[in-house]
DNA sequence: AAAAATGATTAGCG
DNA sequence: CGCTAATCATTTTT
């Protein structure tokens, strides 16, 4: 506002619509222009100033008259020039917008997630690939993944429809003629609307084509920022979706009965060394229709939980032990195995089994086990049978949970050593695999 | 609704 | 790298 006086003096004109300016102007221009012109301009401005006081029809008529006035173009140009020099030149500086790194990051991510990429086919494939890669384990449950994919494509669809609304074709670069060849969407609709409005208004107030251009670019910037917001929230949604569906910890499902059965069977029949080899894990995984890492997880959990509270697992242990013991004994009357080198190690295995808990149970089992070994001539390397038998024995012997439970978590027990893990009985425990088929029937293939 | 069970994840060890 | 131990987050049981 405070600039107005200066402008008027230097150019001899002022902005229309400012009450009281007309008078000033007339005074200021008196010396430079001819009397007639002065009068013309004064008339014009006078009409402008009073235009709002008139009825609509009258106003239209006067508007038209003004538009047709011979001085109008010149005056208009002058006004535009002034406006350009004052207002627009200030904004002109912030024209260049560097490629926003933030936007690029979002774009890249959306592309990587298969949201922004090409349509359906390739897109979902990419998404699946990304999902599989993220999951770490390939060929997994496809059920959950399909759910994931469905949700992802939902997001994708929303994203695309929304994006299309705001997408802007390059209008400015089409040159002077603001072409009509752009797609129908919110951005362009709005832009053309604004442009028409401005052009319409340019008859009564100073708006140069340049200004319209600028306005268009401003609108586009706005729409760009909307787009960015859209991309951002889409990214967010994808991230949430990922963490929801791909993070298996959430939405975990218990293994089915049969799988648990199989795993338990293996566990209790290899109780002295419940560390399935990679191959064994693979096989178990196959049989249980779970992944190898799930098998590993299961055994890890099982070992630690078993060890932590044997009493709680006693019943289960006996159950599986008895089951496998039956099958084992039925198959092999006695250890046909000749290759039972370091013979007296069965005791060691028992020790490793009992490890850190229940001293009483440990003792009793050990002695019993030893007896069975020496008296029964059980094949030394038939660990599984030893294991299972031990349980049967401990059960029949009446050392039930009461005892075990009470001493279960004997903390500073003599052997704080973990037991397992480092104590694979030297002899054959680890890989008696190739033994006589009869021995390890427990693997029940 | 609280408690137990359970599969997965994590830090840390060797 | 596989393991243990602790812990998380969910599911199942009580």
């Amino acid at each position: 506002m405070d600039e107005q006086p200066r402008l008027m003096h230097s150019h001899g004109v002022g902005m229309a619509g400012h009450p009281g300016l007309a008078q000033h102007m007339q005074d200021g221009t008196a010396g430079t222009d001819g009397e007639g012109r002065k009068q013309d301009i004064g008339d014009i401005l006078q009409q402008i100033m009073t235009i709002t006081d008139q009825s609509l029809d009258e106003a239209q008529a006067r508007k038209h008259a003004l538009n047709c006035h011979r001085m109008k173009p010149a005056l208009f140009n002058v006004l535009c020039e002034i406006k350009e020099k004052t207002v627009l030149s200030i904004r002109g500086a912030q024209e260049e917008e560097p490629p926003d790194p933030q936007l690029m990051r979002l774009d890249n991510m959306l592309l990587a997630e298969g949201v922004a990429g090409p349509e359906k086919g390739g897109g979902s494939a990419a998404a699946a690939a990304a999902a599989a890669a993220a999951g770490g384990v390939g060929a997994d449950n496809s059920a959950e993944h399909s759910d994931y994919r469905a949700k992802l494509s939902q997001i994708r669809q929303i994203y695309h429809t929304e994006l299309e609304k705001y997408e802007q074709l390059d209008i400015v670069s089409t040159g002077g003629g603001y072409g009509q060849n752009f797609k129908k969407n919110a951005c362009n609709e709005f832009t053309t609307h604004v442009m028409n409005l401005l052009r319409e208004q340019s008859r009564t107030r100073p708006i140069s084509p340049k200004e319209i251009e600028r306005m268009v670019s401003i609108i586009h910037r706005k729409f760009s920022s909307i787009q960015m917001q859209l991309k951002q929230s889409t990214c967010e949604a994808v991230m949430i979706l990922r963490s929801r569906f791909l993070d298996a910890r959430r939405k975990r499902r218990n293994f089915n009965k049969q799988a648990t059965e199989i795993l338990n069977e293996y566990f209790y029949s290899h109780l002295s060394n419940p560390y399935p080899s990679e191959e064994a894990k693979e096989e178990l995984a196959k049989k249980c229709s779970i992944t190898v890492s799930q098998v590993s997880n299961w055994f890890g959990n099982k070992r630690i939980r078993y060890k932590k509270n044997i009493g709680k697992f006693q019943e289960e242990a006996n159950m599986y032990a008895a089951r496998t013991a039956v099958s084992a004994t039925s198959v092999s009357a006695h250890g046909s195995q000749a290759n039972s080198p370091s013979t007296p190690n069965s005791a060691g295995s028992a020790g490793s089994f009992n490890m850190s808990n229940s001293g009483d149970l440990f003792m009793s089992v050990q002695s019993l086990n030893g007896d069975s070994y020496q008296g029964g001539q059980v094949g030394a390397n038939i660990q599984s049978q030893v294991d299972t038998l031990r349980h049967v024995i401990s059960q029949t012997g009446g050392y039930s949970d009461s005892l075990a439970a009470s001493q279960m978590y004997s903390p500073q027990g003599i052997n704080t050593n973990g037991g397992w893990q480092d104590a694979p009985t030297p002899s054959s425990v680890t890989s008696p695999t190739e033994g006589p088929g009869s021995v390890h029937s427990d693997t029940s293939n």
Side-chain angles (χ1 to χ4, degrees):
Chain A
M1 276 304 185
D2 42 9
E3 296 204 41
Q4 296 292 357
R6 180 178 62 75
L7 296 173
M8 275 181 301
H9 286 303
S10 55
H11 293 277
V13 288
M15 305 276 272
H18 287 269
L21 291 185
Q23 189 58 42
H24 283 298
M25 189 184 62
Q26 274 177 312
D27 296 338
T29 56
T32 54
D33 290 300
E35 284 298 307
R37 273 197 186 180
K38 189 184 87 178
Q39 197 52 47
D40 280 347
I41 294 172
D43 283 348
I44 292 169
L45 291 171
Q46 200 56 45
Q47 288 174 35
I48 291 174
M49 299 305 293
T50 58
I51 201 165
T52 52
D53 296 335
Q54 297 149 17
S55 72
L56 203 59
D57 286 345
E58 211 174 339
Q60 289 291 357
R62 280 181 183 266
K63 209 164 112 186
H64 183 69
L66 277 172
N67 277 334
C68 298
H69 196 280
R70 63 188 170 87
M71 287 299 295
K72 192 251 177 183
L75 189 57
F76 180 78
N77 281 340
V78 174
L79 289 169
C80 284
E81 200 180 314
I82 295 166
K83 198 171 172 186
E84 175 110 11
K85 279 188 181 154
T86 57
V87 185
L88 297 179
S89 63
I90 298 168
R91 287 192 204 157
Q94 53 169 7
E95 274 292 345
E96 294 301 316
E97 42 181 317
D100 191 352
Q102 171 93 11
L103 183 62
M104 281 177 55
R105 260 192 19 224
L106 291 176
D107 274 336
N108 285 339
M109 184 190 152
L110 287 174
L111 212 59
E113 294 297 333
V115 174
E119 260 314 310
K120 280 284 177 185
S124 59
V137 189
D140 216 348
N141 282 342
S142 58
E144 299 187 9
H145 278 198
S146 74
D147 200 3
Y148 170 80
R149 272 200 299 273
K151 287 245 161 62
L152 187 70
S153 86
Q154 201 177 322
I155 289 177
R156 173 193 169 82
Q157 196 173 343
I158 291 172
Y159 169 78
H160 274 118
T161 53
E162 288 296 309
L163 185 67
E164 198 167 312
K165 281 190 209 160
Y166 304 129
E167 203 156 36
Q168 42 185 283
L169 300 188
D170 211 332
I171 295 172
V172 178
S173 72
T174 57
Y178 302 103
Q180 305 296 324
N181 60 335
F182 26 82
K183 267 198 299 191
K184 185 187 171 197
N185 60 37
C187 177
N188 288 329
E189 240 168 65
F190 187 71
T191 303
T192 47
H193 182 74
V194 169
M195 284 195 322
N196 288 337
L197 208 62
L198 287 177
R199 260 181 289 194
E200 171 69 25
Q201 287 190 0
S202 73
R203 286 188 214 157
T204 50
R205 78 188 178 93
I207 298 172
S208 65
K210 221 174 188 174
E211 197 183 345
I212 295 178
E213 221 170 274
R214 254 185 264 265
M215 188 59 82
V216 167
S217 84
I218 287 171
I219 291 170
H220 280 203
R221 262 201 289 275
K222 279 288 177 221
F223 273 87
S224 285
S225 81
I226 292 174
Q227 255 190 81
M228 187 155 109
Q229 243 170 301
L230 171 67
K231 284 175 182 174
Q232 198 159 0
S233 49
T234 304
C235 274
E236 232 167 86
V238 170
M239 291 304 272
I240 290 170
L241 184 70
R242 280 186 75 128
S243 66
R244 202 73 175 293
F245 279 81
L246 261 37
D247 186 359
R249 179 152 67 171
R250 309 172 187 274
K251 205 94 179 172
R252 71 158 241 276
R253 265 183 246 296
N254 291 358
F255 300 150
N256 61 40
K257 265 280 201 273
Q258 194 184 342
T260 314
E261 196 100 325
I262 292 168
L263 292 167
N264 271 318
E265 215 160 276
Y266 188 99
F267 179 82
Y268 286 112
S269 60
H270 296 70
L271 201 47
S272 64
N273 189 46
Y275 297 88
S277 67
E278 194 57 33
E279 295 155 6
K281 280 182 194 171
E282 278 168 30
E283 192 170 325
L284 285 169
K286 203 173 190 176
K287 279 200 286 191
C288 301
S289 347
I290 59 180
T291 68
V292 172
S293 35
Q294 282 178 306
V295 172
S296 296
N297 283 339
W298 190 91
F299 272 89
N301 282 322
K302 192 72 182 180
R303 279 190 299 262
I304 201 75
R305 281 162 184 165
Y306 179 86
K307 192 164 98 176
K308 217 163 185 167
N309 191 346
I310 288 185
K312 207 176 339 192
F313 291 87
Q314 204 63 49
E315 204 177 324
E316 184 176 71
N318 293 335
M319 185 180 125
Y320 283 101
R323 185 183 310 181
T324 54
V326 168
S327 69
T329 49
S330 70
V331 173
S332 65
H334 66 110
S336 56
Q337 265 327 81
N339 55 356
S340 55
S342 50
T343 46
N345 273 356
S346 58
S349 88
S352 78
F353 151 69
N354 260 311
M355 49 196 147
S356 57
N357 21 36
S358 64
D360 290 33
L361 186 58
F362 170 58
M363 295 271 285
S364 63
V365 167
Q366 189 174 29
S367 62
L368 285 170
N369 193 26
D371 287 347
S372 80
Y373 165 71
Q374 288 180 335
Q377 290 287 351
V378 177
N381 66 342
I382 312 181
Q383 278 311 134
S384 66
Q385 291 197 44
V386 174
D387 293 336
T388 58
L389 284 172
R390 181 183 56 250
H391 277 290
V392 174
I393 289 162
S394 75
Q395 181 187 32
T396 54
Y399 305 96
S400 52
D401 351 12
S402 63
L403 230 182
S406 61
Q407 319 213 327
M408 196 72 28
Y409 22 76
S410 68
Q412 291 73 12
I414 300 136
N415 95 3
T416 45
N417 138 31
W420 283 323
Q421 179 56 5
D422 55 337
T425 7
S427 61
S428 51
V429 171
T430 39
S431 62
T433 58
E434 65 302 306
S438 61
V439 175
H440 266 297
S441 62
D442 59 87
T443 52
S444 64
N445 287 334

